[in-house]
Amino acid sequence: MAVIDRLGEALGDGEGGIVLSTVDSLVDWARGKSLWAMPMGTACCAMELIAASFSKFDFDRHGTFPRPDPRHTDVMVVAGTITKKMAPAVKRLYEQMAEPKWVIAMGNCAVSGGIFYYDTYSVVRGVDEFLPVDVYIGGCPPRPEALQDAVLRLRELIATESIAPNRRWEGALVLPMPGDISFGARPGERAGTGRPGAGGEPE
Amino acid sequence: MTFYNDRTGLAQDNGIAETGELVVNVGPSHPSTHGVCRVIVHLDGETVTKAEPVIGYLHRGIEKMAENRTYLQIVPLTDRLDYVGSMYANWAYCRAVERLAGILVPERAEYLRVIVCELQRIASHMMALGSAAADTGAATMFIYAFDERERIIEAFEELCGARLTYNYVRPGGVSFDAPDGWTETVLEFCRNHRSALDMMDRLYFGNVITRQRTKGLGVLSADDAIAWGASGPVARGSGVNWDLRKHDTYSVYPRFDFDVPVGSNGDCYDRARVRLFECYESCRIIEQAIAQMDPGQVKAPGLPRLLAPRPGDAYDHIESARGSLGVYLVSDGSVRPYRMKVRSPAFCNLALLPMLAEGHMLSDLVVILGSLDPVFGEVDR
Amino acid sequence: MNITQLREHLCATYPDLCPLFSIEFGDGVLSVEPERLREAAANLKDLGFDRLGMVTAVDRPTHFELVYRLYSRSMSAALFLKCNVGRGESEAPTLSDLWPAALWQERETYDMFGVVFAGHPDLRRILLPDEWEGFPLRKDYRDDTMIRRPDYI
């Protein structure tokens, strides 16, 4: 984990308020913890997107705030079915967003066409036909907690990026792996960091 | 140029400046959260001379898909039509199937259908009032209204497991019986909801800014409402006393005692008030339904999984939160319908927008669109 | 007013429409030829059918069947008005001057089926993009992008 995440400890350690870290971890920390989302909500998933932003599943505590303006946002959450008539508008709004930008495909319709995959003449089967998607969330509609989980995953994905061109920090990616026992941590054990064999040690 | 005695401050009204026509495109993605609607607005200064809605950005071809699905497989498709009110969209479709196939629904199922439909009506009106408030800038009302909606969604999650698209009302009944304690949860919600509605009444309708912005805006006369096929709160706000639950009654609604709120002026304020008062009436209906409901079956016995109704057609409709939602089914005797047509109230109400918006300002256009309460899953199908 | 009373009232007021009225499965149906559609609709409007609920079409093998659903608040009655138009040059008169509710619904029927409503002030596509080719709800609509659902029942 980057020193930047233990900022409080480091400052309180009596080092005189100096933290040493890499530029990348600082930039990725700033970008990841304050992802303003553009809600491209077309259909039912838009209701869950709104619910995720409001009082019960507060989205603002993750730093994510729905701003309906492409020029102010970092992440476009495509929530709902995209039809062939709507696709040019979505593409245009994506191009209006400033770099760096990411896309979350929320809901089955945005991932693959969903329930509208068969027998339809006007639905685009998955928004990744014309947008580069970073995080896919399944569900019809996915729960608001799933959307918030997607933002947390996106944050970890951002932590692997570097502002140097063609450089990635794969080692820092802490997505859960299939053989991971961090989700099955028994009482008294500390959940692992996500690497195989790295979790489940008794405290 | 001087603006000393200028009442509106707009140079065009004083004849000082000549304004040409400006065409502005509103949408299809815009912050007013009604969905994907594009309005091409012709403006003279700040006044709308012509507003033309362009729809179809969510046209998914549900009617074509229905021709290749069995009757039971279409129920999840109807969920996605009016996604703010999946329960009553399911119910309209199931009533058409039952009429076509001659299925009798057990009484407990009818009571459960009424309870979930009225809860869904409250949830839909909370969404409508909240987003109408957000259109005028009152975001607080939006958040309070959504909190009430969350209580209802929690009750639905306990009942059928889903938060938004329930697939609960099936041809012949409902899919699950209410679990133990569910009716007590719903009664407690109704008790708390009335005080929440009082609070929202003071918060939103008591606000002088709301009244100045919505009173006298988008006036729809009763004759126009009938001729243009408007239904639901849009028609009732204009004084048309027509509610399918009372005047073309169906299911077990004749057994309940409730009133139908009707406005008088036909402006945005009246339409929003009608929606608020309908929530009170829905609470009354829910309480009576829970008191009258007896234990029993919730599915029609002996119903085959593959329904093959008689050849012919049937049309049935219900009173949804937006108006009269009807489904027309044509069967050729096979397990799949030959044609399914959804008569969508939001589609017919949205046709009023050009007439209502003419002569008002651009920011009023958004308020009028909000008062018509379109849900684009239903408009575009 | 129930169906038999409606039939008596209709036959008393407009005797020439009487043989065209039938009762199918509890619903009143008035079937007319396209030439008589406007006249029948105007008569029904005078009779008290002030609301047009639905306009749609059904693609039958040899013709299109136009279906209108009409309501009367004063009589608390409803009926279907059906009219068969040919498949080749499907044209029918518009009812949008009698009931403005028909404006958008006829546009939608044109968009989905290609039925041209003569006299409609603004007949163009409403749900599909303007440059779409073909009429999707016709049974013979072929589109390479459509994937047919497998028949598992």
Side-chain angles (χ1 to χ4, degrees), chain B residues 208-250:
Chain B
V208 65
I209 298 176
T210 305
R211 276 185 263 155
Q212 279 185 341
R213 281 208 68 172
T214 56
K215 274 202 171 178
L217 188 71
V219 177
L220 177 69
S221 70
D223 294 326
D224 274 339
I226 300 165
W228 282 81
S231 51
V234 174
R236 286 197 283 280
S238 301
V240 177
N241 187 3
W242 180 254
D243 184 333
L244 292 175
R245 295 174 291 173
K246 281 266 195 205
H247 303 111
D248 190 10
T249 192
Y250 54 96

Side-chain angles (χ1 to χ4, degrees), chain B residues 152-165:
Chain B
I152 297 174
I153 287 179
E154 281 168 4
F156 282 153
E157 201 178 358
E158 225 181 285
L159 179 68
C160 61
R163 275 180 55 100
L164 197 73
T165 49

Side-chain angles (χ1 to χ4, degrees), chain B residues 284-306:
Chain B
R284 272 172 79 179
I285 297 175
I286 294 170
E287 285 164 354
Q288 290 171 50
I290 291 179
Q292 291 177 16
M293 188 162 71
D294 288 325
Q297 293 175 315
V298 292
K299 282 188 192 179
L303 203 60
R305 198 165 51 90
L306 287 178

Side-chain angles (χ1 to χ4, degrees), chain B residues 42-93:
Chain B
H42 297 246
L43 290 172
D44 175 23
E46 189 78 19
T47 318
V48 173
T49 50
K50 183 177 163 201
E52 185 204 326
V54 178
I55 57 174
Y57 287 94
L58 200 57
H59 178 65
R60 299 171 277 197
I62 288 181
E63 295 179 357
K64 183 81 179 174
M65 289 166 73
E67 293 173 7
N68 197 22
R69 304 269 187 289
T70 65
Y71 287 92
L72 193 56
Q73 286 170 345
I74 296 174
V75 184
L77 287 181
T78 55
D79 268 337
R80 275 96 184 143
L81 279 174
D82 179 356
Y83 42 82
V84 185
S86 305
M87 290 289 192
Y88 47 72
N90 285 355
W91 195 12
Y93 169 72

